[in-house]
């Protein structure tokens, strides 16, 4: 019984912190969100950026997850000065379903999984664009796990938000928010 109590004490504070939407309200916040649940890995061999039917897309749970995250942000009073998204359909759909601002496609947020793209060049372009924004601007970037990892040094689950602050050396992770699909 003591073991169960100890486990609950260790888990529950982390669970509460995982839903700390106030992290997103701080001036200068950079929120990096992995697209909502899109089952599978990578994209089919016939992938075409202009044709969503050739891509791995959100399923019903992913669409519900994106709507739920957006509703939670709106309920918490979270606002962003800019919402940037990868051009992949699972990212643009996530950004649109969040309904938290007008998403703007930003190719540097496109996936560089399995040899696609240029991880270093894309990360540099993202960091330059972030630096060009006012220091107090709150930004939401909807992208892919590999991009979040490249920019922050940490992985994400589907729909998870890594909350970061700008530093002279890049982005410093200050929290995470995860909503199960």
């Amino acid at each position: 019984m003591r073991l169960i109590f100890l486990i609950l004490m260790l888990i529950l504070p982390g669970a509460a912190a995982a839903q700390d939407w106030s992290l997103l309200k701080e001036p200068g916040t950079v929120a990096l969100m992995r697209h909502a649940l899109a089952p599978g890995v990578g994209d089919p061999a016939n992938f075409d950026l202009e044709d969503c039917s050739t891509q791995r897309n959100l399923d019903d749970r992913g669409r519900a997850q994106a709507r739920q995250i957006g509703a939670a942000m709106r309920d918490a009073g979270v606002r962003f000065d800019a919402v940037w998204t990868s051009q992949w359909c699972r990212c643009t759909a996530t950004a649109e379903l969040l309904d938290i601002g007008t998403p703007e496609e930003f190719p540097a947020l496109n996936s560089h999984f399995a040899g696609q793209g240029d991880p270093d060049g894309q990360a540099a372009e993202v960091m330059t664009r972030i630096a060009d924004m006012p220091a107090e601007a709150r930004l939401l970037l909807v992208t892919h796990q590999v991009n979040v990892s490249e920019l922050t040094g940490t992985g994400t689950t589907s729909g998870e938000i890594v909350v970061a602050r700008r530093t002279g050396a890049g982005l410093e992770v200050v929290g995470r928010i995860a909503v199960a699909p």
Side-chain angles (χ1 to χ4, degrees):
M1 188 62 141
R2 278 191 245 179
L3 180 59
I4 292 172
F5 180 73
L6 179 60
I7 291 170
L8 287 174
M9 285 185 59
L10 293 172
I11 293 173
L12 290 179
Q19 299 305 319
D20 187 0
W21 298 104
S22 67
L23 290 171
L24 299 176
K25 293 178 161 183
E26 296 294 321
T29 293
V30 179
L32 299 102
M33 180 180 183
R34 180 180 179 184
H35 59 77
L37 187 63
V41 176
D43 285 289
N46 66 338
F47 170 85
D48 179 353
L49 188 58
E50 302 298 322
D51 184 355
C52 291
S53 71
T54 67
Q55 300 179 34
R56 183 165 59 93
N57 291 294
L58 302 182
D59 66 0
D60 289 341
R61 293 177 302 155
R63 287 186 289 279
Q65 182 187 33
R67 287 185 194 102
Q68 179 184 2
I69 293 166
M73 284 194 273
R74 289 188 305 278
D75 289 347
V78 173
R79 305 273 184 275
F80 292 101
D81 297 294
V83 178
W84 303 332
T85 181
S86 159
Q87 295 175 302
W88 266 238
C89 295
R90 58 186 171 269
C91 291
T92 59
T94 297
E96 290 167 5
L97 291 168
L98 290 171
D99 193 25
I100 197 80
T102 303
E104 177 187 343
E105 290 183 6
F106 182 28
L109 292 173
N110 289 353
S111 180
H112 51 75
F113 179 72
Q116 299 177 84
D118 172 14
D120 293 335
Q122 287 174 238
E125 188 175 344
V126 170
M127 291 307 300
T128 296
R129 188 163 186 199
I130 289 170
D132 288 345
M133 296 296 289
E136 68 280 357
R138 287 180 296 277
L139 310 172
L140 174 61
L141 287 60
V142 181
T143 188
H144 308 267
Q145 188 278 330
V146 292
N147 300 71
V148 174
S149 181
E150 183 74 23
L151 291 162
T152 66
T154 187
T156 57
T157 60
S158 296
E160 185 176 13
I161 300 168
V162 174
V163 184
R165 302 276 182 262
R166 305 172 211 190
T167 71
L171 296 175
E172 175 188 0
V173 175
V174 296
R176 304 171 81 92
I177 301 171
V179 175

